[in-house]
Amino acid sequence: MAAADGETVALRTEVAALRLRVLELERENQRLAQVASSCSCGAKEDTVPSSPVGTVSLYGCDQEVHEGKLQEIRSSGHDAGLPFDHVAISTEKVVCNDNEGGDSDVPKTQKRRANRRGHKLGTVSHCQKRLVSLKIMYFGQRFYGFASEAQTEPTVESEVFKALERARLLVNNRKESCYSRCGRTDKGVSATGQVISLYLRSNMKDAGGNAFDERYEIDYVGVLNKTLPRDIRVIGWCPVAADFLARFSCLGREYKYLFWKGSLDIPKMQNAASKFIGEHDFRNFCKMDATNVSNYKRRITDFDISACDQRSNDDELWAMTIKGSAFLWHQVRCMVAVLFLIGQGLESPFVVDSLLDITKTPRKPQYTMAPELPLILRSCLFDNVSFMCSSDTRQALIEHFKDEYHQYMLQAAIYYEALSCLSFPGPNPFESRHKKRNHIPLLSRQTEPSYEERTSKVKAKAAVLK
């Protein structure tokens, strides 16, 4: 019975993911059809506006400050959160090509295309820039993760930079913008509080002692949301200190994992979850990256499992809320997977103690991570960072999400109607029926190589290459 409940949870999650994916594809198809029907550009023209081109020289960010901080945290691994002292907001002048018609370095064909699209290349002079932090919300169903280093498109990051280029907010290329991201979420994972930081164009005229009224600054939120796809939204911005890095200035992160309760034993799961609180070596609860990470100790400050006050198909929606200073690769999904096994009665809560004891269990047992779709990067905590947006932009965001929510609810009602119309003889279509499966205890399974075995292999490979 417990095994069947486990498969029920997994299959329901997969069905929900497929339903949302179908809806996303249908809506994207409709949007592209509308764009194509209203397009007036030539058949051979690129429909994406080109980014500004011209000779741009900037004084860049303080490389010594940033490289020094990077050196401090390299040994600690992924997403290490380190507090830094904050200094006054820094702005720097960017000297741009101000030749009205003499863009000698710009190909003529590119200038003609830009002019037809309403762009004037290289005509902005004496641009200002400032280090800005942006708070981003996105829904990960159609994205191959957040980071644009992924080999497959689209990613959230690539869409954000396309929007920055279209809005002409980048003062130069990404490398020289001192870009930093707080978290690097996996394929399918969503976020309501992702944070990035980088230098953007500014309306500030002088970095002197006079205070600048932020009401006259560029409406970064409104401008970007006009060019971003509907499943990505900037929800706030904040000027930050010259030494700010979204990744390493973060003091803490909060994740939320949604799931249907079914017949899971919640008290047992809560008992096991409490064992994660504190500082532990989580190498048995992550995807190990021995090449780049040597420290697998992380601190969990809170792990709560509670009901969400939502029901569907005679089931109740619950959530795990996990807070910590930083997290390892796939750490949250691995912890959730083990808790599901405990909730199904397949494992004892004491298995968490064994997996956290790397002396007793130096090699991670092989097990499947929890699905990625219900995972949300809910928030990121910083010191002296207060995100803002104008009242008009805030109202536009509210209307946007209300409309999206109504559309999804309508789609859910259609699926519910389809299920209700099934009149085949047999069991209730809303009742899940799954085959029982044999469960192999975690501590009796095949194991992955230990950290020491992995590092030895890396060193041996490096020696051969030399």
Side-chain angles (χ1 to χ4, degrees):
M1 183 62 184
D5 293 336
E7 291 196 2
T8 299
V9 173
L11 287 176
R12 282 181 177 173
T13 303
E14 292 175 6
V15 169
L18 290 173
R19 287 176 178 173
L20 288 173
R21 181 60 177 156
V22 169
L23 178 59
E24 287 291 334
L25 291 173
E26 288 175 348
R27 297 185 64 184
E28 182 67 9
N29 187 45
Q30 292 175 359
R31 187 186 70 80
L32 292 174
Q34 291 175 354
V35 172
S37 64
S38 61
C39 182
S40 60
C41 57
K44 295 184 179 180
E45 285 291 329
D46 183 3
T47 59
V48 179
S50 57
S51 58
V53 179
T55 304
V56 181
S57 102
L58 68 147
Y59 297 104
C61 61
D62 189 342
Q63 291 295 336
E64 291 183 0
V65 171
H66 289 280
E67 288 176 4
K69 288 181 179 178
L70 289 172
Q71 189 62 36
E72 284 182 39
I73 51 78
R74 269 194 186 115
S75 63
S76 64
H78 294 292
D79 292 334
L82 300 177
F84 296 119
D85 294 330
H86 292 267
V87 298
I89 295 171
S90 171
T91 59
E92 300 180 24
K93 182 174 291 186
V94 182
V95 181
C96 303
N97 186 352
D98 57 358
N99 296 328
E100 281 292 339
D103 304 303
S104 58
D105 295 332
V106 181
K108 292 182 179 180
T109 54
Q110 189 174 7
K111 287 196 292 183
R112 285 198 297 270
R113 290 181 180 180
N115 290 334
R116 281 199 293 271
R117 299 185 188 110
H119 288 279
K120 293 183 179 180
L121 300 179
T123 60
V124 181
S125 62
H126 304 296
C127 304
Q128 300 291 328
K129 72 185 179 81
R130 74 189 310 182
L131 190 59
V132 169
S133 181
L134 300 176
K135 190 174 184 179
I136 301 175
M137 182 179 291
Y138 54 88
F139 304 88
Q141 290 89 339
R142 74 179 183 92
F143 297 110
Y144 290 89
F146 182 83
S148 57
E149 286 89 343
Q151 299 299 315
T152 311
E153 293 285 340
T155 65
V156 178
E157 199 170 68
S158 64
E159 294 294 330
V160 169
F161 271 91
K162 287 176 186 176
L164 288 168
E165 291 172 358
R166 289 168 185 159
R168 305 187 72 184
L169 291 176
L170 284 177
V171 293
N172 208 320
N173 57 40
R174 170 175 166 173
K175 183 178 180 181
E176 294 175 310
S177 69
C178 298
Y179 171 73
S180 177
R181 58 189 170 229
C182 185
R184 181 173 174 166
T185 54
D186 300 329
K187 174 184 176 182
V189 177
S190 301
T192 56
Q194 174 71 278
V195 174
I196 66 171
S197 61
L198 73 171
Y199 277 97
L200 297 179
R201 285 180 50 206
S202 171
N203 283 338
M204 295 184 70
K205 299 301 181 184
D206 185 26
N210 296 328
F212 177 70
D213 192 338
E214 300 295 353
R215 292 177 298 175
Y216 300 110
E217 183 55 283
I218 296 171
D219 181 9
Y220 297 111
V221 177
V223 169
L224 285 171
N225 285 341
K226 289 178 181 178
T227 59
L228 283 166
R230 293 185 66 83
D231 46 5
I232 304 176
R233 278 295 177 271
V234 177
I235 60 175
W237 76 278
C238 180
V240 289
D243 65 344
F244 183 91
L245 287 167
R247 180 181 177 188
F248 303 119
S249 298
C250 183
L251 304 177
R253 297 161 174 86
E254 177 182 345
Y255 283 90
K256 177 171 281 192
Y257 194 95
L258 302 172
F259 65 98
W260 293 106
K261 178 179 180 292
S263 58
L264 291 171
D265 190 332
I266 298 297
K268 275 189 177 181
M269 293 172 64
Q270 291 171 328
N271 178 23
S274 66
K275 299 176 183 294
F276 288 123
I277 297 176
E279 185 176 84
H280 303 282
D281 190 311
F282 285 96
R283 68 182 64 190
N284 289 325
F285 292 94
C286 71
K287 184 173 181 178
M288 196 176 294
D289 181 10
T291 303
N292 300 306
V293 183
S294 58
N295 178 18
Y296 289 88
K297 287 187 177 181
R298 296 293 185 270
R299 177 174 293 277
I300 301 297
T301 56
D302 188 51
F303 202 128
D304 178 67
I305 305 177
S306 57
C308 297
D309 196 25
Q310 294 185 43
R311 301 190 67 88
S312 176
N313 296 351
D314 297 323
D315 205 346
E316 190 176 15
L317 187 67
W318 281 62
M320 302 185 201
T321 303
I322 307 105
K323 298 178 182 179
S325 57
F327 292 87
L328 295 160
W329 192 5
H330 292 165
Q331 181 182 340
V332 173
R333 291 169 62 191
C334 287
M335 291 190 296
V336 170
V338 173
L339 290 179
F340 279 157
L341 293 175
I342 294 169
Q344 296 161 35
L346 301 174
E347 296 286 347
S348 163
F350 295 105
V351 75
V352 174
D353 296 308
S354 298
L355 292 173
L356 289 175
D357 186 348
I358 61 169
T359 303
K360 179 180 179 181
T361 315
R363 307 172 93 230
K364 177 188 174 185
Q366 294 180 352
Y367 59 89
T368 304
M369 295 186 297
E372 70 277 3
L373 182 69
L375 180 59
I376 306 166
L377 173 57
R378 192 168 184 273
S379 64
C380 302
L381 177 65
F382 296 89
D383 188 22
N384 297 328
V385 175
S386 180
F387 294 97
M388 57 184 156
C389 79
S390 66
S391 57
D392 290 343
T393 303
R394 185 181 298 108
Q395 187 59 38
L397 280 167
I398 292 172
E399 294 300 322
H400 170 80
F401 286 119
K402 284 172 63 176
D403 179 62
E404 294 291 295
Y405 178 76
H406 288 166
Q407 292 295 329
Y408 276 101
M409 290 298 291
L410 181 62
Q411 189 72 19
I414 294 171
Y415 281 107
Y416 188 89
E417 183 67 19
L419 278 171
S420 301
C421 291
L422 294 176
S423 58
F424 302 119
N428 187 330
F430 292 104
E431 293 181 359
S432 299
R433 298 173 65 87
H434 303 287
K435 295 180 179 179
K436 292 185 178 181
R437 58 188 176 92
N438 295 324
H439 175 73
I440 302 175
L442 283 176
L443 300 180
S444 299
R445 298 185 185 187
Q446 289 186 340
T447 57
E448 299 178 0
S450 67
Y451 170 74
E452 290 74 18
E453 291 169 335
R454 291 173 187 268
T455 52
S456 297
K457 186 175 180 180
V458 170
K459 291 177 182 177
K461 187 175 180 181
V464 170
L465 292 176
K466 287 181 180 180

